[in-house]
Amino acid sequence: MGTPSLSPWAVLVLTLVLVGLWAPCVVSRQPNFIVILADDVGWGDLGANWAETKETPHLDQLAAEGTRFVDFHSAASTCSPSRASLLTGRLGLRNGVTHNFAITSLGGLPLNETTLAEVLREAGYSTGAIGKWHLGHHGHHHPNSRGFDFYFGIPYSHDMGCTDSPGYNLPPCPPCPRHGTAARVVRKDCYTEVALPLFENTTIVQQPVELGSLARRYVEEAARFIQRASDSGRPFFLYLALAHMHVPLNPPLPPAPGRGIYGASLGEMDALVGRIKELADSLGRGSTLLWFTGTAGQRAGGDTGDCTWRRGRDLCLSPALDIPALHVPCPRCSHCSVDGDVLDIFPTLVALAGAALPPSRRFDGLDVSPVLFGWSDVGHKVLLHPNSGAAGKVGEIEALRLAQYKAFYTTGGATACDGSTGPAQRHQPPLIFNLDRDIQEQEPLDVASREYQAVLPAISRAYAQALQDIAADNVSVADYSQDPAAIPCCNVQHVGCRCHGAHGALGSSWDPHVEKRTPRLCL
């Protein structure tokens, strides 16, 4: 990687984890931060990880220029919990977000939880969020009330509202209705009643969203945000949460031969990341950390449409938490095997900004800046994996990683790609796998073996200590109640909440801070 430079800071972390950072080895001022979070991107979706992948030249270049973390994890395998953990540095059992919020949700990430944006804004940063939020959109759960000066994006997943050119599921869902109920096609796995909204701050600027132009608009808004921050002289924090690769977005260009719609979407995501890096290079004042990572690694999630659209790209494994990670010019290692987690983003950026962690609460993430800059190779001793929709109580710690060993206390209950559901089983003592020999977790250690008996006491202690620590913490409880009044709707008079104009260009003021409104389904 060449001789480390003392000035432009360049740290790229490839975490699926992909993390990219640019920054000076000796930080003399607050660096800028860009966190790019891909949705459900698979570990093998990057050419840096899987040679057969040809659609990610920009991400592969970041990986080549920086440090790639080959053992990096998501804090959960579903949308809302993984995002809540990234922005709080705390697992769902602590921050209260254990499963996904709905379009009718009244609550969101509990208001007594402090977000990364709130800490950094207090430290003098301009803060912006672009893309998918999915941490509550009603009342004071909106991004503008959670520390972000600027927001542009969709309030939840792009398959949680209809669009005129549906990009999700195979076969595709029907487009948004334009007239009465007679014209609608009902499918239980499709949101057909309310159009997907696009927000700029608290204003709906388009409903339904045009999925084919979403990536381009995100880049445009990111450029404006970075330019404004650069002009102001303040450091900035940009949280860019992509819709890729959750389900198809209808990329504007047709797929090249042999690539398919998945490959075309992957290429669009890669081009977007390349453009963001160019913006950071030109406007970031030579001190920008870029961190690219994902939410859930190889996704199964019980969605057979998802498995169909991926066509084996991720092998449709059970919900996995492994994701890629990278880091650029000061690094000493190009392939870090240190155990890391999306939870680490919060304490790492807070430390690099010279700020302090919020008091009176405990954090699951670590400050990994010494690892990023090659000063240390010490990561997590223990990683905790919550249940994200399989057997057992949602959010509970059902698996644990200790060194090369992974222990399962509950298995089964998740829907496979073929629609089948494995039997729920509680394991006491736990199933234990040695990942050095069995990365696919096919053969648990024999309970009677010397290896099992040697590692079981350490795993049991770590599991008990983790549960005790959480029980003694200042934990939050999320409000998962629902009300049709919480559905974002720019025009209640139109079918599907459609805005005036072909593209909803006029927009509509929708106030998320109004706690009680007349219930409506926007039908």
Side-chain angles (χ1 to χ4, degrees), residues 90 95 109-114 146 361 474-477:
R90 288 154 57 85
N95 65 40
L109 176 65
L111 300 180
N112 60 311
E113 288 291 320
T114 303
R146 303 314 307 267
R361 64 198 60 209
N474 179 15
V475 300
S476 300
V477 178

Side-chain angles (χ1 to χ4, degrees), residues 1-239:
M1 288 182 292
T3 304
S5 166
L6 291 179
S7 62
W9 223 51
V11 182
L12 170 72
V13 184
L14 177 62
T15 81
L16 264 259
V17 179
L18 269 185
V19 183
L21 320 171
W22 305 280
C25 299
V26 178
V27 182
S28 58
R29 62 179 180 182
Q30 291 174 307
N32 306 311
F33 302 127
I34 300 176
V35 174
I36 302 177
L37 184 69
D39 197 353
D40 295 334
V41 64
W43 191 88
D45 286 342
L46 302 184
N49 289 338
W50 193 258
E52 294 180 12
T53 299
K54 307 298 183 184
E55 296 91 353
T56 58
H58 296 97
L59 287 168
D60 297 344
Q61 181 180 358
L62 292 180
E65 293 173 353
T67 299
R68 187 165 115 251
F69 285 83
V70 297
D71 202 349
F72 203 91
H73 300 256
S74 176
S77 62
T78 49
C79 301
S80 299
S82 59
R83 285 163 169 73
S85 290
L86 187 156
L87 290 175
T88 64
R90 288 154 57 85
L91 287 166
L93 282 182
R94 299 186 198 270
N95 65 40
V97 182
T98 57
H99 53 288
N100 289 338
F101 295 105
I103 67 172
T104 53
S105 287
L106 292 171
L109 176 65
L111 300 180
N112 60 311
E113 288 291 320
T114 303
T115 70
L116 178 58
E118 289 169 328
V119 174
L120 294 179
R121 185 165 68 176
E122 184 69 20
Y125 278 72
S126 295
T127 57
I130 294 175
K132 172 180 168 179
W133 177 239
H134 214 165
L135 289 174
H137 51 272
H138 186 63
H140 291 283
H141 297 288
H142 186 276
N144 287 142
S145 297
R146 303 314 307 267
F148 289 101
D149 301 320
F150 173 74
Y151 174 62
F152 184 88
I154 55 179
Y156 28 71
S157 297
H158 64 280
D159 57 356
M160 293 176 67
C162 63
T163 55
D164 286 339
S165 298
Y168 55 88
N169 282 354
L170 293 176
C173 286
C176 280
R178 289 183 176 273
H179 306 293
T181 56
R184 300 180 193 174
V185 178
V186 177
R187 269 191 34 202
K188 65 179 182 179
D189 57 337
C190 294
Y191 286 76
T192 59
E193 303 297 329
V194 180
L196 181 69
L198 178 66
F199 279 84
E200 180 171 348
N201 295 316
T202 60
T203 298
I204 296 176
V205 295
Q206 191 178 58
Q207 193 171 11
V209 171
E210 172 48 54
L211 293 179
S213 64
L214 198 56
R216 173 182 57 79
R217 297 188 73 172
Y218 283 175
V219 170
E220 292 171 352
E221 294 301 329
R224 293 189 183 98
F225 171 78
I226 295 173
Q227 183 67 67
R228 289 194 299 268
S230 179
D231 292 344
S232 73
R234 296 170 62 194
F236 66 82
F237 166 49
L238 173 60
Y239 169 54

Side-chain angles (χ1 to χ4, degrees), residues 450-520:
R450 287 185 177 181
E451 184 178 15
Y452 187 99
Q453 293 300 321
V455 72
L456 178 61
I459 286 176
S460 298
R461 282 195 302 272
Y463 188 58
Q465 289 169 0
L467 297 183
Q468 290 169 6
D469 185 75
I470 292 171
D473 192 12
N474 179 15
V475 300
S476 300
V477 178
D479 175 11
Y480 278 97
S481 62
Q482 298 185 33
D483 188 326
I487 297 175
C489 185
C490 69
N491 192 327
V492 296
Q493 303 302 319
H494 282 210
V495 173
C497 292
R498 187 180 293 275
C499 291
H500 285 294
H503 300 291
L506 297 179
S508 177
S509 179
W510 177 80
D511 188 356
H513 300 100
V514 176
E515 297 292 350
K516 274 294 179 183
R517 300 178 296 156
T518 303
R520 63 199 186 207

Side-chain angles (χ1 to χ4, degrees), residues 156-371:
Y156 28 71
S157 297
H158 64 280
D159 57 356
M160 293 176 67
C162 63
T163 55
D164 286 339
S165 298
Y168 55 88
N169 282 354
L170 293 176
C173 286
C176 280
R178 289 183 176 273
H179 306 293
T181 56
R184 300 180 193 174
V185 178
V186 177
R187 269 191 34 202
K188 65 179 182 179
D189 57 337
C190 294
Y191 286 76
T192 59
E193 303 297 329
V194 180
L196 181 69
L198 178 66
F199 279 84
E200 180 171 348
N201 295 316
T202 60
T203 298
I204 296 176
V205 295
Q206 191 178 58
Q207 193 171 11
V209 171
E210 172 48 54
L211 293 179
S213 64
L214 198 56
R216 173 182 57 79
R217 297 188 73 172
Y218 283 175
V219 170
E220 292 171 352
E221 294 301 329
R224 293 189 183 98
F225 171 78
I226 295 173
Q227 183 67 67
R228 289 194 299 268
S230 179
D231 292 344
S232 73
R234 296 170 62 194
F236 66 82
F237 166 49
L238 173 60
Y239 169 54
L240 177 55
L242 305 179
H244 305 78
M245 298 290 300
H246 184 64
V247 284
L249 269 78
N250 282 344
L253 298 177
R259 294 176 70 195
I261 188 68
Y262 191 90
S265 296
L266 192 60
E268 182 182 54
M269 179 188 75
D270 181 75
L272 183 156
V273 174
R275 180 60 182 135
I276 295 298
K277 183 183 182 301
E278 290 176 1
L279 291 170
D281 285 341
S282 62
L283 300 174
R285 305 192 314 277
S287 183
T288 301
L289 176 153
L290 169 65
W291 195 315
F292 175 91
T293 189
T295 60
Q298 298 163 321
R299 179 175 182 265
D303 184 346
T304 55
D306 177 77
C307 291
T308 304
W309 112 267
R310 288 177 178 269
R311 297 196 183 280
R313 291 296 292 263
D314 290 333
L315 307 178
C316 285
L317 300 177
S318 60
L321 299 176
D322 286 341
I323 48 177
L326 304 180
H327 162 288
V328 202
C330 300
R332 271 58 170 188
C333 69
S334 59
H335 296 76
C336 286
S337 60
V338 172
D339 288 346
D341 198 291
V342 165
L343 293 157
D344 301 335
I345 292 175
F346 185 106
T348 300
L349 301 197
V350 168
L352 291 172
L357 291 174
S360 304
R361 64 198 60 209
R362 301 176 186 180
F363 294 87
D364 298 291
L366 300 177
D367 172 12
V368 296
S369 55
V371 176

